Amino acid sequence: MTQAIAPLRGSGYLREGWQRIRQPGLRRFLVIPLLLNLALFLALIGWGARQFNYWMDRLMPHLPDWAAFVEWLLWPLFALVVLLVLFFGFSMLANLIASPFYGFLAEKVAEQERGLVSPPTGWREIVMVVPRSLGRECRKIVYYLPRLIGLLLLTLIPVVNLVASPLLLVFGVWMMAVQYIDYQADNDQVGFIDMLRWMRGHRGVSLGFGLPVYVGMLIPLVNLLVMPSAVAGSTLLWVREGPGPRSAA
């Protein structure tokens, strides 16, 4: 019974995260990453539009007149490729840039949930944690990129792409869960491999959480609010259902 409702339980954590980040004391960890991610988002949209126009202008003149209908096929196909690159590129870069702030946001949400109180966080603490946060983000990218590239290549193979395309969707959902659950797992000193092992044992709740995050990340501008909500929601998931913090032995 518990396993049957796990995906529904997991999806509810994103909504709870959105409610939590609007509380006093947490907003300060949202403003700077929100502004940075907005600037990144606008820059990537501009780059994507330029690339789309450039390649379409290069490809179209080389088509013979009788093959003009191919243009109608190329436009949606190339637009889809650009959107995928923008989606995965934005997710990866935005989380890399905002990781120190999101790490502290996760820590504060966990403290609230556990009934703990810590000294106020200043700029010095944020700067000090930057190397560790970037290292953990790079660890996720090393896990993520080879699998993503492999699945994208499989989608180009006829027949195989019938299986690879759904797998690419499931992998995207899984990676949204990995991306955000990892913030508090890292704060609790749980290694990346150990966190993945725990998630595989709780696949239903993990994928249930990752699915609405994945969908929200596809919506321009809404994705900027989904990210901090996902940090808070995944922290609540981890605190309530995870293995707990490890001692710094």
Side-chain angles (χ1 to χ4, degrees):
M1 180 66 177
T2 303
Q3 284 299 108
I5 63 172
L8 292 177
R9 192 172 71 248
S11 66
Y13 281 112
L14 180 62
R15 183 180 64 255
E16 243 188 295
W18 165 244
Q19 295 167 349
R20 188 63 66 97
I21 63 171
R22 292 181 291 166
Q23 294 181 1
L26 296 179
R27 295 171 190 161
R28 58 187 299 229
F29 297 103
L30 307 180
V31 176
I32 292 179
L34 186 64
L35 293 175
L36 290 173
N37 288 340
L38 178 60
L40 174 64
F41 179 75
L42 293 175
L44 284 176
I45 289 293
W47 175 84
R50 288 194 299 272
Q51 292 301 311
F52 182 82
N53 291 329
Y54 172 78
W55 285 107
M56 292 306 292
D57 290 343
R58 289 287 296 267
L59 289 171
M60 289 306 103
H62 295 287
L63 290 176
D65 293 338
W66 62 267
F69 73 94
V70 174
E71 181 178 354
W72 294 101
L73 299 176
L74 286 177
W75 272 84
L77 181 62
F78 195 69
L80 179 62
V81 171
V82 171
L83 285 174
L84 282 173
V85 171
L86 288 176
F87 169 70
F88 287 113
F90 173 74
S91 299
M92 186 169 60
L93 291 175
N95 285 303
L96 187 65
I97 292 170
S99 59
F101 298 95
Y102 287 159
F104 277 110
L105 173 61
E107 185 178 315
K108 296 304 178 186
V109 172
E111 287 173 356
Q112 285 184 356
E113 189 67 16
R114 290 167 174 164
L116 304 175
V117 179
S118 67
T121 302
W123 284 105
R124 184 175 181 276
E125 287 78 10
I126 293 176
V127 171
M128 291 291 290
V129 83
V130 167
R132 193 192 81 185
S133 298
L134 293 180
R136 189 79 169 203
E137 286 301 310
C138 290
R139 178 64 184 86
K140 281 182 273 192
I141 291 172
V142 168
Y143 171 80
Y144 168 68
L145 269 185
R147 292 165 173 82
L148 173 62
I149 293 170
L151 286 171
L152 285 173
L153 291 175
L154 288 176
T155 60
L156 301 177
I157 304 174
V159 181
V160 175
N161 58 7
L162 297 177
V163 176
S165 297
L167 285 178
L168 184 61
L169 172 62
V170 173
F171 180 69
V173 171
W174 174 255
M175 274 312 303
M176 290 298 101
V178 170
Q179 176 64 53
Y180 292 103
I181 290 174
D182 184 61
Y183 285 115
Q184 188 54 34
D186 185 30
N187 288 340
D188 283 347
Q189 300 181 33
V190 174
F192 186 72
I193 299 300
D194 291 332
M195 181 204 68
L196 289 177
R197 188 177 297 116
W198 178 86
M199 288 181 63
R200 292 187 189 108
H202 299 76
R203 208 178 299 268
V205 72
S206 298
L207 290 173
F209 171 76
L211 179 58
V213 176
Y214 181 88
V215 173
M217 287 294 292
L218 292 173
I219 305 173
L221 299 182
V222 171
N223 54 11
L224 299 177
L225 297 176
V226 167
M227 295 170 73
S229 301
V231 173
S234 64
T235 300
L236 296 174
L237 186 160
W238 178 263
V239 169
R240 293 174 188 171
E241 307 196 24
R246 294 190 175 178
S247 62

